[in-house]
Amino acid sequence: MSPIHVDESSGSDETGKGTPDQPYQTLAFAIFTAPGSTYLIRKDASGTYEEPTQSSLKKAKKGADGLEKKRKKEEERAEREAKEKKEERERREKQIEESKKIVLTEDPALPAAKKAKINKLTPLRGDRVKIQGWVHRLRDQKGIMFIVLRDGTGYLQCVLSGRVAQTYDALTLNLESTIEAIGTLQALPEGKTAPGGHELVVDFWRVLGAAPGGEDAFTNRLNEKSDPSILADLRHFVLRGETASAVLKLRAAMLSAFRKALVGHNLMEVTPPCLVQTQVEGGATLFKLHYYGQDAFLTQSSQLYLETCLPSLGDVFCVQESFRAENSHTRRHLSEYTHLEAELAFIDFNDLMTHIESMICETVDTLLADPVASALVKQLNPNFTAPKRPFMRLSYVDAIKWLNDHGIQHEEEDAEGNVIKDENGAAKMVDHAVGDDIAEAAERRMTDILGVPIFLYGFPAELKAFYMKKMPRKEGETGPICTESCDLLMPGVGEIVGGSMRISDIAELLAAYKREGIDPTPYYWFTDQRKYGTCEHGGYGLGVERFLAWLANRYTVRECSLYPRWPGRATP
Ligand code: 4AD
């Protein structure tokens, strides 16, 4: 028998083989694995393998005995565990067999159950009620089952004990199954908490649609560790979560609150088309499609249509999808977003900004005054406070000065719009000049430093869309011609509203088409507004997802859309 080798410094009891090249580390382990062999030991690789001394052999034997004891203990524990597992499995199998014999029937002597939604339960305390929903959470505590049921309106704790918790369905129930639960609604005893302050003590229930367990279980498809592309593919499951559903509930409340504010200011809701043949915000971001042999686009903005409603319906608004084919992967850009737009007649620029401010503040006030909506705001954005009026107003020219005073620079671009890089490959940063587009990064830094909503107004005409009204020039004023345009910037999100006064003079509009290289032919209906009774008017568009990201403190607008679309993503 070849001797067993031990190297006390570079050997290993885990990976060693006892050979000269792969020695063990301890003599105790060598004796434990190969009792009765001969052993050779060295201190480290610089020494030679020698026979161990009698005293070290004696000591190592003791160590080996210890290891043997440990191994035995381990073996016994494994045996015990296997036995327990087997017993548990048998107990469970028996329990399942037994459970098949338990058939629940509804006790006809009990009062008829009232079918209700979870958010309408409080007045029904003490009554027998019937609730249908999804198993949101599930816990078995010494044979008593606690199910948190979800029906979209809220969450309800259901308690199942005795026979109702011993059926086959009870023992095999999985998360996200749909069930119907009938029982008595009881206020919670002092010191206990559950959603709504009550729980359903179930006397009869049944599974409506069982969800799978095991490999295909909901929590195996989706969990906190799932990566972003899985979360995007499984958006339909993400929506079932407490946070995503709270965002969507707040979105619904927010849209109602906006509608209330707008209608309260005499604006009428209209529904303009999504399929259009004109651009509003520049041809570069149009989604083009074939339309019965003609070219058509998905709308970028319903503004032009809203303008045509003024002579018919007065001030109007719409909540409509807008589409932007921009290759922007930022946290505030979507390819399709919900656009809340409004148009008002016979106003001036100051009226426009005051109106936008009122709509935002009245909407926030409505939400905070509503117990359900304000609870959602609190859940998602615990530090939210309503913005103070009036909002800060900062002219474009003053903003350029502010950025330079605060050392906020931008990347210099060449004539083709490519970023100029220095010898190390870093972008060359330069001060802002009047006439520059204020880039997203600079705008956000400014907004975050100022920490309040800001109306940034008076952008140069060449940076803005063709339809914007020019600002009247003061005597001797130089610099670029500015427009009566405004962006509303919010801390944390940046621009949430873009608005302007519109050109009301027909000759000026025709000149603007020409300047922008736009063929006026398809715009005949828009031009006609200036021909048949023009008026001073203006309007704005608010990005619903951006407003919600601000209100609910979401990292990205993608969380604020039901099924968000961004470059490359139109699934599910
Ligand atoms: O500033 P924008 O492009 O203005 C217009 O479309 C005007 N015609 C609106 C009008 O006056 N009726 O867009 C208005 C708002 C932006 O402030 C932003 O909140 C949102 O729409 N928005 C987007 N939201 C998400 N993803 C995008 N790609 C967005 N583009 C604009």
Side-chain angles (χ1 to χ4, degrees):
M1 214 203 282
S2 51
I4 306 294
H5 292 73
V6 175
D7 180 321
E8 290 183 319
S9 73
S10 64
S12 168
D13 292 347
E14 278 85 45
T15 58
K17 301 234 158 49
T19 59
D21 295 341
Q22 286 172 285
Y24 294 128
Q25 193 184 21
T26 64
L27 188 55
F29 187 77
I31 297 172
F32 166 66
T33 26
S37 303
T38 51
Y39 309 98
L40 292 174
I41 186 165
R42 68 181 183 190
K43 280 249 167 302
D44 52 44
S46 67
T48 48
Y49 283 113
E50 282 167 12
E51 276 187 22
T53 60
Q54 279 310 313
S55 69
S56 62
L57 255 181
K58 205 169 152 198
K59 207 168 138 204
K61 269 194 186 127
K62 265 196 191 150
D65 288 349
L67 286 173
E68 177 57 22
K69 262 193 205 140
K70 213 167 141 192
R71 188 197 61 78
K72 269 213 180 112
K73 252 197 190 153
E74 191 55 38
E75 197 180 84
E76 279 163 21
R77 195 185 57 79
E79 260 171 35
R80 205 169 47 240
E81 264 180 24
K83 195 168 154 235
E84 277 167 12
K85 262 203 190 125
K86 190 168 161 254
E87 281 170 6
E88 170 63 28
R89 208 170 42 239
E90 282 167 3
R91 196 183 61 79
R92 169 105 185 141
E93 273 163 17
K94 204 169 145 220
Q95 201 183 21
I96 287 192
E97 274 318 303
E98 289 293 310
S99 75
K100 288 179 184 162
K101 294 181 204 144
I102 302 177
V103 181
L104 290 185
T105 45
E106 202 178 342
D107 183 351
L110 291 170
K114 295 174 187 156
K115 187 175 165 182
K117 292 283 183 192
I118 292 173
N119 67 341
K120 295 282 186 292
L121 284 178
T122 305
L124 299 179
R125 284 189 188 169
D127 290 351
R128 196 161 172 265
V129 296
K130 180 199 284 187
I131 306 289
Q132 290 154 333
W134 286 260
V135 176
H136 186 65
R137 263 180 266 143
L138 186 58
R139 178 164 58 94
D140 187 335
Q141 204 172 296
K142 297 189 190 127
I144 301 178
M145 273 174 81
F146 291 90
I147 299 174
V148 174
L149 209 57
R150 182 186 79 231
D151 75 349
T153 73
Y155 302 92
L156 173 69
Q157 174 159 291
C158 303
V159 187
L160 284 71
S161 60
R163 267 171 63 82
V164 287
Q166 290 157 5
T167 62
Y168 180 75
D169 283 349
L171 298 184
T172 56
L173 187 65
N174 292 312
L175 287 178
E176 295 304 324
S177 300
T178 37
I179 66 165
E180 175 177 273
I182 299 176
T184 308
L185 187 71
Q186 290 184 357
L188 284 175
E190 197 70 32
K192 285 203 173 169
T193 54
H198 40 232
E199 62 187 10
L200 190 72
V201 179
V202 176
D203 61 60
F204 178 76
W205 72 287
R206 62 194 177 107
V207 171
L208 303 175
E215 279 279 289
D216 219 14
F218 189 80
T219 43
N220 276 346
R221 300 281 305 274
L222 178 80
N223 54 55
E224 307 94 70
K225 291 187 203 120
S226 303
D227 72 52
S229 79
I230 303 273
L231 291 178
D233 286 343
L234 297 182
R235 178 75 181 156
H236 59 301
F237 283 161
V238 173
L239 296 178
R240 298 184 181 204
E242 285 172 28
T243 303
S245 59
V247 171
L248 290 181
K249 286 174 188 174
L250 183 58
R251 182 183 157 113
M254 180 201 111
L255 287 174
S256 313
F258 260 119
R259 286 192 163 98
K260 182 174 169 227
L262 289 156
V263 170
H265 284 249
N266 282 317
L267 281 83
M268 181 174 286
E269 183 164 3
V270 293
T271 313
C274 278
L275 290 169
V276 300
Q277 294 190 307
T278 47
Q279 55 111 329
V280 190
E281 300 297 327
T285 62
L286 283 173
F287 279 108
K288 200 169 169 181
L289 47 100
H290 299 296
Y291 189 75
Y292 303 109
Q294 298 174 29
D295 281 346
F297 316 109
L298 292 176
T299 187
Q300 292 172 311
S301 157
S302 299
Q303 176 196 323
L304 308 193
Y305 292 96
L306 293 186
E307 289 188 46
T308 68
C309 295
L310 296 177
S312 162
L313 305 170
D315 301 344
V316 282
F317 75 96
C318 68
V319 181
Q320 178 69 287
E321 297 296 279
S322 275
F323 303 85
R324 303 282 168 107
E326 26 190 356
N327 201 16
S328 300
H329 292 260
T330 79
R331 57 192 175 100
R332 61 177 204 173
H333 284 94
L334 293 167
S335 302
E336 172 180 351
Y337 70 96
T338 306
H339 207 171
L340 189 152
E341 294 182 273
E343 201 65 29
L344 298 102
F346 306 110
I347 56 162
D348 63 22
F349 188 36
N350 186 47
D351 295 335
L352 176 66
M353 286 194 275
T354 306
H355 166 86
I356 296 172
E357 185 180 290
S358 301
M359 291 308 98
I360 305 265
C361 293
E362 287 179 27
T363 298
V364 168
D365 289 347
T366 301
L367 290 171
L368 295 184
D370 177 79
V372 175
S374 68
L376 292 167
V377 173
K378 212 166 186 74
Q379 175 189 344
L380 296 163
N381 189 1
N383 298 323
F384 182 80
T385 47
K388 287 201 181 63
R389 296 163 82 164
F391 291 171
M392 178 180 183
R393 294 185 185 187
L394 184 67
S395 77
Y396 164 84
V397 175
D398 288 343
I400 295 286
K401 187 170 176 305
W402 190 98
L403 291 171
N404 290 337
D405 289 349
H406 289 78
I408 299 173
Q409 297 185 307
H410 70 98
E411 295 171 343
E412 191 177 21
E413 291 177 357
D414 63 18
E416 272 89 52
N418 302 311
V419 174
I420 299 174
K421 304 220 165 127
D422 64 15
E423 57 278 8
N424 302 319
K428 194 172 163 211
M429 302 302 288
V430 288
D431 273 357
H432 285 84
V434 171
D436 288 346
D437 202 357
I438 301 177
E440 186 178 327
E443 184 184 278
R444 282 184 55 159
R445 277 196 65 197
M446 180 176 82
T447 318
D448 291 345
I449 292 171
L450 291 169
V452 288
I454 310 160
F455 270 121
L456 194 56
Y457 71 91
F459 296 93
E462 71 246 36
L463 298 180
K464 287 291 178 180
F466 72 94
Y467 54 76
M468 290 189 182
K469 192 179 170 69
K470 313 259 177 338
M471 266 187 171
R473 287 205 141 197
K474 295 184 196 102
E475 277 271 316
E477 195 181 308
T478 55
I481 294 175
C482 292
T483 51
E484 289 192 329
S485 54
C486 59
D487 284 354
L488 179 62
L489 314 177
M490 288 304 200
V493 183
E495 180 197 328
I496 63 158
V497 178
S500 78
M501 293 299 290
R502 325 300 192 190
I503 293 173
S504 59
D505 179 72
I506 191 163
E508 204 183 324
L509 181 63
L510 293 173
Y513 290 139
K514 203 165 181 179
R515 190 189 70 226
E516 296 293 320
I518 296 171
D519 173 10
T521 320
Y523 292 82
Y524 69 93
W525 48 276
F526 182 67
T527 314
D528 272 349
Q529 302 304 313
R530 280 77 186 160
K531 190 167 164 187
Y532 295 88
T534 193
C535 69
E536 292 305 324
H537 65 288
Y540 56 94
L542 173 141
V544 166
E545 291 80 10
R546 289 195 189 175
F547 183 87
L548 190 56
W550 167 72
L551 180 69
N553 191 29
R554 294 299 96 192
Y555 177 72
T556 157
V557 288
R558 293 178 186 181
E559 285 180 70
C560 300
S561 165
L562 183 64
Y563 283 101
R565 270 80 179 94
W566 63 83
R569 164 72 56 183
T571 307

